[in-house]
Amino acid sequence: KAGVTQTPRYLIKTRGQQVTLSCSPISGHRSVSWYQQTPGQGLQFLFEYFSETQRNKGNFPGRFSGRQFSNSRSEMNVSTLELGDSALYLCASSFDSNQPQHFGDGTRLSIL
Amino acid sequence: AQSVAQPEDQVNVAEGNPLTVKCTYSVSGNPYLFWYVQYPNRGLQFLLKYITGDNLVKGSYGFEAEFNKSQTSFHLKKPSALVSDSALYFCAVRVFNTGFQKLVFGTGTRLLVSP
């Protein structure tokens, strides 16, 4: 069974641009969550999608948004990029709330 | 607020010795606890979970964790460390609220196993 796939693995952008990150969950998993990992703040929850609906959002500005498609694939968008958005963005999927989340290898976003 | 704490930034152990990575939690209700490991330039790999049942949970790669309700702890252990166990370890608690879920992570503990 293929794991969680995130594309691209690395991305370099400049301030003010926008970016879209993609996540393909494990087949059959309907819950997809996004996390931001930085050396200073650690791992922080961004949002969770389940069956195309955003169930919860973390404490991030409105520049961070996402969506989930009918095949459970998810995208995350960040607009008007700031230097502080440089981070490893991790996607995780699970079958349901009682099962552990499985993580992709992340997208490392660098803002110049 | 539900949280986990990992009091040690780094744990050093010699290969072949037992290792312990500490985690304490603060939750309302029954805790759903997890351990994940992260290798350089990789995502998090699931090691083990505690939801209910036996206090000693066995996981991947020979790791186990002991759930202690009175001490609100969930320490990760391994009887004999390997150099390849060197990595960043995260304790996490699952938070539920009206249908959604999220993981709240500790700050991570770097494990360094020396040959």
Side-chain angles (χ1 to χ4, degrees):
Chain A
K1 210 176 202 181
V4 177
T5 303
Q6 291 188 247
T7 56
R9 287 294 312 276
Y10 302 92
L11 206 48
I12 298 175
K13 292 286 186 179
T14 57
R15 283 184 300 172
Q17 288 186 309
Q18 74 164 14
V19 67
T20 299
L21 312 181
S22 181
C23 171
S24 293
I26 291 172
S27 178
H29 286 190
R30 293 182 296 168
S31 170
V32 174
S33 298
W34 288 88
Y35 296 85
Q36 182 196 63
Q37 185 179 22
T38 60
Q41 300 299 318
L43 281 155
Q44 292 190 294
F45 172 78
L46 279 157
F47 28 65
E48 185 212 6
Y49 287 87
F50 186 88
S51 295
E52 302 180 65
T53 301
Q54 186 183 88
R55 296 206 289 194
N56 190 46
K57 193 174 190 297
N59 295 324
F60 280 82
R63 302 184 296 108
F64 291 81
S65 63
R67 59 178 176 170
Q68 186 180 33
F69 302 94
S70 58
N71 61 359
S72 292
R73 190 177 70 85
S74 178
E75 289 183 346
M76 192 190 94
N77 184 275
V78 188
S79 62
T80 319
L81 287 165
E82 300 177 359
L83 292 177
D85 297 334
S86 294
L88 180 67
Y89 290 89
L90 294 165
C91 169
S93 75
S94 64
F95 178 73
D96 60 32
S97 300
N98 288 326
Q99 299 304 315
Q101 293 183 344
H102 294 271
F103 285 77
D105 284 337
T107 294
R108 185 165 296 282
L109 176 62
S110 299
I111 311 302
L112 304 179
Chain B
Q2 321 229 36
S3 63
V4 292
Q6 295 180 246
E8 302 155 316
D9 289 336
Q10 182 162 313
V11 170
N12 298 308
V13 64
E15 187 174 32
N17 284 357
L19 69 87
T20 298
V21 183
K22 296 179 180 178
C23 171
T24 58
Y25 64 89
S26 174
V27 301
S28 54
N30 295 322
Y32 284 38
L33 297 162
F34 301 82
W35 275 102
Y36 285 85
V37 60
Q38 186 176 35
Y39 295 97
N41 298 316
R42 301 297 301 276
L44 278 66
Q45 292 181 32
F46 168 73
L47 281 177
L48 50 80
K49 66 176 180 179
Y50 173 84
I51 293 179
T52 187
D54 291 339
N55 290 341
L56 186 62
V57 180
K58 294 191 181 297
S60 305
Y61 314 119
F63 284 93
E64 57 189 27
E66 187 170 9
F67 172 71
N68 188 316
K69 189 172 183 178
S70 62
Q71 298 186 3
T72 62
S73 66
F74 189 56
H75 301 331
L76 182 70
K77 300 181 179 184
K78 188 174 183 182
S80 179
L82 300 172
V83 172
S84 58
D85 292 330
S86 299
L88 189 56
Y89 290 80
F90 289 95
C91 181
V93 61
R94 178 168 286 171
V95 175
F96 294 92
N97 188 12
T98 59
F100 79 83
Q101 59 154 333
K102 69 175 183 180
L103 286 175
V104 174
F105 288 90
T107 51
T109 298
R110 189 165 301 280
L111 174 66
L112 184 60
V113 182
S114 55

